[in-house]
Amino acid sequence: MKLNYFLLVAIIFNFSCTPRNLAYFSDLKQNTAYEEAILNDIDPKIQTYDLLSITVTSLNPEANALFNTGVAAQAKTITDFSLSRSNNSELAREGYLVDKTGSIDFPVLGKIKLVGLTKTQATEMLKNQLKLHLKDPIINVRFLNFKITVVGEVNRPATFSIPSERINILEALGMAGDMTAFGKRENVLIIREENGIRKMTRLNLNNKEILNSPYFYLQQNDVIYIEPDKMKQVQASTNTRTISIIASLTTLLIVVASRLL
């Protein structure tokens, strides 16, 4: 049993002597201006089971009412998305659900396939089809269920609704209260589903190159997982009594070592 305690003490000393890089973009030199074009800010594409708000405006009020039967009816307006967690700010609303075939059922037009299109592309498609029924229609397409989830070694893990429909990984971490000291900044896992395929990739937030990653800007339903480091795993697997004993042994070893020196 004592051997196990000394082994744990040795492990703790090993971890304590190993420096950890807790800084984001630590490879960016201090007092150095850094500038580059943003090439990875890509519009999110419509996916199956997305919920869309589609509003139609024209000079004909009666036609507007006909085409807006699926418009979202929001119970309240969210103005601060940093506080808009999906688990405590659900909105009473309706919308057009993209079914498993990638289509919505739109008034008069019937089934329209939107999966794989950006909002701009979907707007243009709807406008072209509605021109047969309306004069100079104005179409507005929005995501009603744009959300991301942050879990693991963060201070406030949760699922967050993003009304602006644009967020990067740093903003997501900020909404979750940032990583704890135990979070691996060099090994952040992003889980993303696109076109029926689940993709997973790891990002190194110590490296400024992640700014150019296609995963730096998040898409709807992305999941960010912050893995704990080995020290947290040791703490989790050690009960309170053992920690107390380890602390006492550590103090004793320090005292003995100082006298020997």
Side-chain angles (χ1 to χ4, degrees):
M1 189 68 175
K2 291 183 179 180
L3 181 61
N4 291 335
Y5 291 151
F6 281 107
L7 180 60
L8 286 172
V9 170
I11 292 173
I12 289 176
F13 272 121
N14 180 58
F15 286 137
S16 62
C17 293
T18 303
R20 291 202 56 232
N21 188 353
L22 300 181
Y24 298 122
F25 314 122
S26 56
D27 62 337
L28 185 62
K29 295 180 181 179
Q30 294 184 3
N31 303 321
T32 299
Y34 181 75
E35 182 177 309
E36 65 179 5
I38 298 175
L39 303 176
N40 57 340
D41 187 7
I42 301 173
D43 289 338
K45 294 183 179 181
I46 297 170
Q47 303 175 16
T48 54
Y49 305 113
D50 274 342
L51 192 62
L52 304 176
S53 165
I54 303 176
T55 57
V56 179
T57 304
S58 71
L59 298 177
N60 188 335
E62 294 180 355
N64 294 344
L66 173 64
F67 286 105
N68 288 331
T69 55
V71 171
Q74 295 191 182
K76 62 179 180 178
T77 301
I78 299 177
T79 56
D80 183 2
F81 71 82
S82 65
L83 300 177
S84 61
R85 300 186 184 185
S86 64
N87 59 353
N88 63 7
S89 64
E90 285 296 326
L91 302 180
R93 55 194 178 186
E94 297 176 354
Y96 294 98
L97 179 66
V98 182
D99 62 25
K100 62 182 180 181
T101 69
S103 303
I104 63 169
D105 193 2
F106 200 74
V108 180
L109 301 181
K111 286 282 187 178
I112 302 176
K113 192 165 187 176
L114 298 180
V115 70
L117 302 180
T118 64
K119 291 194 306 177
T120 301
Q121 292 169 335
T123 298
E124 193 63 27
M125 174 186 286
L126 289 168
K127 181 182 293 186
N128 290 335
Q129 296 194 34
L130 287 173
K131 282 181 179 178
L132 301 175
H133 307 276
L134 300 171
K135 183 178 180 180
D136 299 327
I138 299 174
I139 316 298
N140 189 344
V141 179
R142 288 185 59 91
F143 291 101
L144 290 178
N145 64 335
F146 196 110
K147 64 183 185 298
I148 53 96
T149 300
V150 187
V151 293
E153 281 299 317
V154 292
N155 288 296
R156 294 191 300 273
T159 296
F160 303 93
S161 296
I162 314 298
S164 65
E165 302 172 8
R166 183 184 185 277
I167 185 171
N168 63 48
I169 188 171
L170 296 179
E171 292 170 326
L173 289 173
M175 293 172 66
D178 203 2
M179 293 189 208
T180 69
F182 297 107
K184 282 189 175 181
R185 285 148 178 80
E186 70 279 6
N187 199 27
V188 176
L189 179 66
I190 307 293
I191 304 173
R192 174 174 296 173
E193 294 184 4
E194 288 182 310
N195 302 321
I197 299 175
R198 183 176 292 110
K199 302 177 181 178
M200 293 181 283
T201 191
R202 295 185 183 273
L203 301 179
N204 182 358
L205 297 189
N206 295 142
N207 192 328
K208 70 178 186 303
E209 292 304 317
I210 69 133
L211 296 171
N212 298 316
S213 169
Y215 288 85
F216 180 71
Y217 287 97
L218 302 175
Q219 296 186 14
Q220 69 270 38
N221 304 316
D222 276 359
V223 177
I224 301 98
Y225 170 62
I226 309 301
E227 183 180 348
D229 65 7
K230 293 181 179 179
M231 189 62 184
K232 183 61 177 288
Q233 296 173 16
V234 170
Q235 286 191 0
S237 62
T238 307
N239 59 37
T240 306
R241 181 172 177 272
T242 305
I243 291 175
S244 177
I245 294 174
I246 291 174
S248 299
L249 289 173
T250 302
T251 303
L252 179 60
L253 288 174
I254 293 174
V255 172
V256 172
S258 63
R259 289 182 178 180
L260 291 176
L261 295 174

Short mmCIF file of all heavy atoms in Angstrom, two decimals, residues 146-184:
data_model
loop_
_atom_site.label_atom_id
_atom_site.label_comp_id
_atom_site.label_asym_id
_atom_site.label_seq_id
_atom_site.Cartn_x
_atom_site.Cartn_y
_atom_site.Cartn_z
N PHE A 146 -29.92 27.01 -34.85
CA PHE A 146 -28.47 27.08 -34.93
C PHE A 146 -27.92 27.04 -33.50
O PHE A 146 -28.04 28.01 -32.74
CB PHE A 146 -28.02 28.36 -35.63
CG PHE A 146 -26.59 28.34 -36.10
CD1 PHE A 146 -26.30 28.28 -37.44
CD2 PHE A 146 -25.54 28.35 -35.19
CE1 PHE A 146 -24.98 28.25 -37.90
CE2 PHE A 146 -24.22 28.30 -35.63
CZ PHE A 146 -23.94 28.26 -36.98
N LYS A 147 -27.32 25.93 -33.13
CA LYS A 147 -26.82 25.77 -31.78
C LYS A 147 -25.50 25.01 -31.82
O LYS A 147 -25.20 24.27 -32.75
CB LYS A 147 -27.82 25.03 -30.90
CG LYS A 147 -28.11 23.60 -31.33
CD LYS A 147 -29.17 22.98 -30.44
CE LYS A 147 -29.38 21.50 -30.76
NZ LYS A 147 -29.86 21.29 -32.14
N ILE A 148 -24.70 25.23 -30.77
CA ILE A 148 -23.44 24.50 -30.60
C ILE A 148 -23.37 24.02 -29.16
O ILE A 148 -24.03 24.58 -28.27
CB ILE A 148 -22.21 25.37 -30.97
CG1 ILE A 148 -22.21 26.70 -30.21
CG2 ILE A 148 -22.19 25.64 -32.46
CD1 ILE A 148 -21.37 26.68 -28.96
N THR A 149 -22.59 22.98 -28.92
CA THR A 149 -22.46 22.40 -27.59
C THR A 149 -20.99 22.37 -27.19
O THR A 149 -20.14 21.97 -27.98
CB THR A 149 -23.03 20.97 -27.55
OG1 THR A 149 -24.41 21.00 -27.92
CG2 THR A 149 -22.89 20.36 -26.17
N VAL A 150 -20.71 22.81 -25.95
CA VAL A 150 -19.35 22.80 -25.41
C VAL A 150 -19.35 21.97 -24.13
O VAL A 150 -20.09 22.29 -23.19
CB VAL A 150 -18.83 24.21 -25.11
CG1 VAL A 150 -17.35 24.17 -24.72
CG2 VAL A 150 -19.04 25.14 -26.30
N VAL A 151 -18.56 20.90 -24.10
CA VAL A 151 -18.51 20.01 -22.94
C VAL A 151 -17.06 19.70 -22.58
O VAL A 151 -16.15 19.99 -23.35
CB VAL A 151 -19.28 18.69 -23.20
CG1 VAL A 151 -20.76 18.93 -23.35
CG2 VAL A 151 -18.74 17.99 -24.44
N GLY A 152 -16.87 19.08 -21.43
CA GLY A 152 -15.54 18.71 -21.00
C GLY A 152 -14.99 19.71 -20.00
O GLY A 152 -15.73 20.24 -19.16
N GLU A 153 -13.69 19.99 -20.08
CA GLU A 153 -13.01 20.84 -19.12
C GLU A 153 -13.21 22.32 -19.40
O GLU A 153 -12.29 23.06 -19.76
CB GLU A 153 -11.52 20.50 -19.09
CG GLU A 153 -11.19 19.25 -18.30
CD GLU A 153 -11.58 19.37 -16.84
OE1 GLU A 153 -11.33 20.43 -16.23
OE2 GLU A 153 -12.15 18.40 -16.30
N VAL A 154 -14.48 22.76 -19.24
CA VAL A 154 -14.82 24.17 -19.30
C VAL A 154 -15.60 24.51 -18.04
O VAL A 154 -16.11 23.63 -17.35
CB VAL A 154 -15.65 24.52 -20.57
CG1 VAL A 154 -14.82 24.38 -21.82
CG2 VAL A 154 -16.90 23.65 -20.66
N ASN A 155 -15.71 25.79 -17.75
CA ASN A 155 -16.35 26.20 -16.50
C ASN A 155 -17.87 26.12 -16.55
O ASN A 155 -18.51 25.88 -15.52
CB ASN A 155 -15.92 27.63 -16.14
CG ASN A 155 -14.47 27.68 -15.68
OD1 ASN A 155 -14.11 27.11 -14.66
ND2 ASN A 155 -13.63 28.36 -16.45
N ARG A 156 -18.46 26.29 -17.74
CA ARG A 156 -19.93 26.24 -17.85
C ARG A 156 -20.33 25.42 -19.08
O ARG A 156 -20.73 25.99 -20.11
CB ARG A 156 -20.52 27.65 -17.95
CG ARG A 156 -20.34 28.49 -16.69
CD ARG A 156 -21.18 29.75 -16.76
NE ARG A 156 -20.83 30.59 -17.89
CZ ARG A 156 -19.87 31.51 -17.88
NH1 ARG A 156 -19.16 31.71 -16.79
NH2 ARG A 156 -19.62 32.24 -18.94
N PRO A 157 -20.19 24.10 -19.03
CA PRO A 157 -20.58 23.28 -20.19
C PRO A 157 -22.08 23.40 -20.45
O PRO A 157 -22.89 23.39 -19.51
CB PRO A 157 -20.19 21.85 -19.76
CG PRO A 157 -20.16 21.90 -18.27
CD PRO A 157 -19.72 23.27 -17.89
N ALA A 158 -22.45 23.53 -21.71
CA ALA A 158 -23.86 23.70 -22.05
C ALA A 158 -24.04 23.68 -23.57
O ALA A 158 -23.06 23.68 -24.33
CB ALA A 158 -24.41 25.01 -21.48
N THR A 159 -25.29 23.67 -23.99
CA THR A 159 -25.66 23.87 -25.38
C THR A 159 -26.15 25.31 -25.53
O THR A 159 -26.98 25.76 -24.74
CB THR A 159 -26.75 22.88 -25.81
OG1 THR A 159 -26.23 21.55 -25.72
CG2 THR A 159 -27.20 23.15 -27.24
N PHE A 160 -25.66 26.02 -26.52
CA PHE A 160 -25.97 27.43 -26.70
C PHE A 160 -26.65 27.68 -28.04
O PHE A 160 -26.20 27.17 -29.08
CB PHE A 160 -24.68 28.27 -26.64
CG PHE A 160 -23.90 28.11 -25.38
CD1 PHE A 160 -22.87 27.18 -25.30
CD2 PHE A 160 -24.18 28.87 -24.26
CE1 PHE A 160 -22.13 27.01 -24.14
CE2 PHE A 160 -23.46 28.71 -23.09
CZ PHE A 160 -22.43 27.78 -23.03
N SER A 161 -27.71 28.48 -28.02
CA SER A 161 -28.36 28.93 -29.25
C SER A 161 -27.64 30.17 -29.78
O SER A 161 -27.25 31.05 -29.01
CB SER A 161 -29.84 29.27 -29.00
OG SER A 161 -30.55 28.11 -28.63
N ILE A 162 -27.45 30.23 -31.10
CA ILE A 162 -26.67 31.31 -31.71
C ILE A 162 -27.56 32.05 -32.71
O ILE A 162 -27.62 31.69 -33.90
CB ILE A 162 -25.41 30.76 -32.42
CG1 ILE A 162 -24.67 29.75 -31.54
CG2 ILE A 162 -24.50 31.90 -32.83
CD1 ILE A 162 -24.14 30.32 -30.24
N PRO A 163 -28.27 33.09 -32.29
CA PRO A 163 -29.14 33.82 -33.21
C PRO A 163 -28.40 34.47 -34.37
O PRO A 163 -28.95 34.64 -35.46
CB PRO A 163 -29.79 34.88 -32.31
CG PRO A 163 -29.70 34.31 -30.93
CD PRO A 163 -28.40 33.56 -30.91
N SER A 164 -27.13 34.85 -34.17
CA SER A 164 -26.37 35.51 -35.24
C SER A 164 -25.95 34.53 -36.33
O SER A 164 -25.51 34.95 -37.40
CB SER A 164 -25.13 36.19 -34.66
OG SER A 164 -24.24 35.22 -34.14
N GLU A 165 -26.03 33.22 -36.03
CA GLU A 165 -25.68 32.16 -37.00
C GLU A 165 -24.22 32.25 -37.44
O GLU A 165 -23.84 31.76 -38.49
CB GLU A 165 -26.60 32.21 -38.22
CG GLU A 165 -28.07 32.06 -37.84
CD GLU A 165 -29.00 32.29 -39.02
OE1 GLU A 165 -28.51 32.41 -40.15
OE2 GLU A 165 -30.23 32.36 -38.79
N ARG A 166 -23.38 32.84 -36.63
CA ARG A 166 -21.95 32.93 -36.92
C ARG A 166 -21.20 32.94 -35.61
O ARG A 166 -21.41 33.81 -34.77
CB ARG A 166 -21.61 34.18 -37.72
CG ARG A 166 -20.14 34.28 -38.13
CD ARG A 166 -19.88 35.60 -38.84
NE ARG A 166 -18.52 35.71 -39.35
CZ ARG A 166 -17.46 36.09 -38.63
NH1 ARG A 166 -17.63 36.40 -37.34
NH2 ARG A 166 -16.26 36.16 -39.17
N ILE A 167 -20.30 31.97 -35.42
CA ILE A 167 -19.54 31.90 -34.19
C ILE A 167 -18.26 31.10 -34.45
O ILE A 167 -18.26 30.15 -35.24
CB ILE A 167 -20.37 31.23 -33.06
CG1 ILE A 167 -19.61 31.27 -31.73
CG2 ILE A 167 -20.77 29.81 -33.43
CD1 ILE A 167 -20.45 30.83 -30.54
N ASN A 168 -17.18 31.51 -33.82
CA ASN A 168 -15.94 30.74 -33.94
C ASN A 168 -15.66 30.01 -32.63
O ASN A 168 -16.35 30.22 -31.62
CB ASN A 168 -14.76 31.63 -34.37
CG ASN A 168 -14.43 32.70 -33.36
OD1 ASN A 168 -14.30 32.45 -32.16
ND2 ASN A 168 -14.27 33.93 -33.85
N ILE A 169 -14.63 29.17 -32.63
CA ILE A 169 -14.39 28.31 -31.48
C ILE A 169 -14.01 29.11 -30.24
O ILE A 169 -14.36 28.74 -29.11
CB ILE A 169 -13.31 27.26 -31.82
CG1 ILE A 169 -13.20 26.23 -30.68
CG2 ILE A 169 -11.98 27.91 -32.12
CD1 ILE A 169 -12.34 25.06 -31.02
N LEU A 170 -13.32 30.24 -30.40
CA LEU A 170 -12.95 31.06 -29.25
C LEU A 170 -14.17 31.70 -28.61
O LEU A 170 -14.28 31.78 -27.38
CB LEU A 170 -11.94 32.13 -29.66
CG LEU A 170 -10.58 31.62 -30.16
CD1 LEU A 170 -9.69 32.79 -30.56
CD2 LEU A 170 -9.89 30.77 -29.11
N GLU A 171 -15.10 32.15 -29.44
CA GLU A 171 -16.34 32.72 -28.91
C GLU A 171 -17.14 31.65 -28.17
O GLU A 171 -17.74 31.91 -27.12
CB GLU A 171 -17.16 33.32 -30.04
CG GLU A 171 -16.54 34.56 -30.67
CD GLU A 171 -17.25 34.99 -31.94
OE1 GLU A 171 -17.73 34.11 -32.68
OE2 GLU A 171 -17.32 36.21 -32.20
N ALA A 172 -17.15 30.43 -28.71
CA ALA A 172 -17.86 29.33 -28.05
C ALA A 172 -17.26 29.03 -26.69
O ALA A 172 -17.98 28.83 -25.70
CB ALA A 172 -17.84 28.09 -28.94
N LEU A 173 -15.93 29.01 -26.61
CA LEU A 173 -15.27 28.77 -25.32
C LEU A 173 -15.57 29.91 -24.35
O LEU A 173 -15.73 29.69 -23.14
CB LEU A 173 -13.77 28.62 -25.53
CG LEU A 173 -13.31 27.33 -26.22
CD1 LEU A 173 -11.81 27.39 -26.51
CD2 LEU A 173 -13.64 26.11 -25.38
N GLY A 174 -15.63 31.13 -24.86
CA GLY A 174 -15.97 32.26 -24.01
C GLY A 174 -17.37 32.13 -23.43
O GLY A 174 -17.60 32.44 -22.25
N MET A 175 -18.32 31.67 -24.22
CA MET A 175 -19.68 31.46 -23.74
C MET A 175 -19.72 30.38 -22.66
O MET A 175 -20.55 30.43 -21.74
CB MET A 175 -20.60 31.07 -24.90
CG MET A 175 -20.81 32.18 -25.91
SD MET A 175 -21.71 31.63 -27.37
CE MET A 175 -23.31 31.25 -26.67
N ALA A 176 -18.82 29.40 -22.76
CA ALA A 176 -18.76 28.31 -21.78
C ALA A 176 -17.86 28.64 -20.60
O ALA A 176 -17.54 27.75 -19.80
CB ALA A 176 -18.28 27.03 -22.46
N GLY A 177 -17.45 29.89 -20.47
CA GLY A 177 -16.63 30.30 -19.33
C GLY A 177 -15.17 29.96 -19.47
O GLY A 177 -14.44 29.98 -18.48
N ASP A 178 -14.72 29.63 -20.68
CA ASP A 178 -13.33 29.28 -20.99
C ASP A 178 -12.96 27.92 -20.38
O ASP A 178 -13.68 27.36 -19.57
CB ASP A 178 -12.36 30.36 -20.49
CG ASP A 178 -11.04 30.33 -21.26
OD1 ASP A 178 -10.90 29.51 -22.19
OD2 ASP A 178 -10.16 31.13 -20.93
N MET A 179 -11.81 27.41 -20.81
CA MET A 179 -11.32 26.14 -20.28
C MET A 179 -10.86 26.29 -18.84
O MET A 179 -10.44 27.37 -18.42
CB MET A 179 -10.14 25.63 -21.10
CG MET A 179 -10.44 25.24 -22.52
SD MET A 179 -8.99 24.42 -23.24
CE MET A 179 -9.26 24.84 -24.97
N THR A 180 -10.91 25.19 -18.11
CA THR A 180 -10.27 25.16 -16.81
C THR A 180 -8.76 24.98 -17.02
O THR A 180 -8.31 24.77 -18.15
CB THR A 180 -10.80 23.99 -15.96
OG1 THR A 180 -10.34 22.75 -16.53
CG2 THR A 180 -12.32 23.99 -15.93
N ALA A 181 -8.00 25.05 -15.94
CA ALA A 181 -6.55 24.87 -16.05
C ALA A 181 -6.19 23.45 -16.47
O ALA A 181 -5.07 23.19 -16.92
CB ALA A 181 -5.88 25.19 -14.71
N PHE A 182 -7.15 22.52 -16.34
CA PHE A 182 -6.89 21.12 -16.69
C PHE A 182 -7.22 20.81 -18.15
O PHE A 182 -6.98 19.71 -18.62
CB PHE A 182 -7.70 20.19 -15.79
CG PHE A 182 -7.34 20.27 -14.34
CD1 PHE A 182 -8.18 20.89 -13.43
CD2 PHE A 182 -6.14 19.74 -13.88
CE1 PHE A 182 -7.85 20.97 -12.09
CE2 PHE A 182 -5.80 19.81 -12.53
CZ PHE A 182 -6.65 20.44 -11.63
N GLY A 183 -7.81 21.76 -18.87
CA GLY A 183 -8.21 21.52 -20.25
C GLY A 183 -7.03 21.47 -21.19
O GLY A 183 -6.14 22.33 -21.12
N LYS A 184 -7.01 20.50 -22.08
CA LYS A 184 -5.92 20.38 -23.05
C LYS A 184 -6.15 21.35 -24.21
O LYS A 184 -6.94 21.08 -25.12
CB LYS A 184 -5.83 18.95 -23.59
CG LYS A 184 -5.18 17.96 -22.65
CD LYS A 184 -4.95 16.64 -23.36
CE LYS A 184 -4.19 15.66 -22.50
NZ LYS A 184 -3.94 14.38 -23.22
#
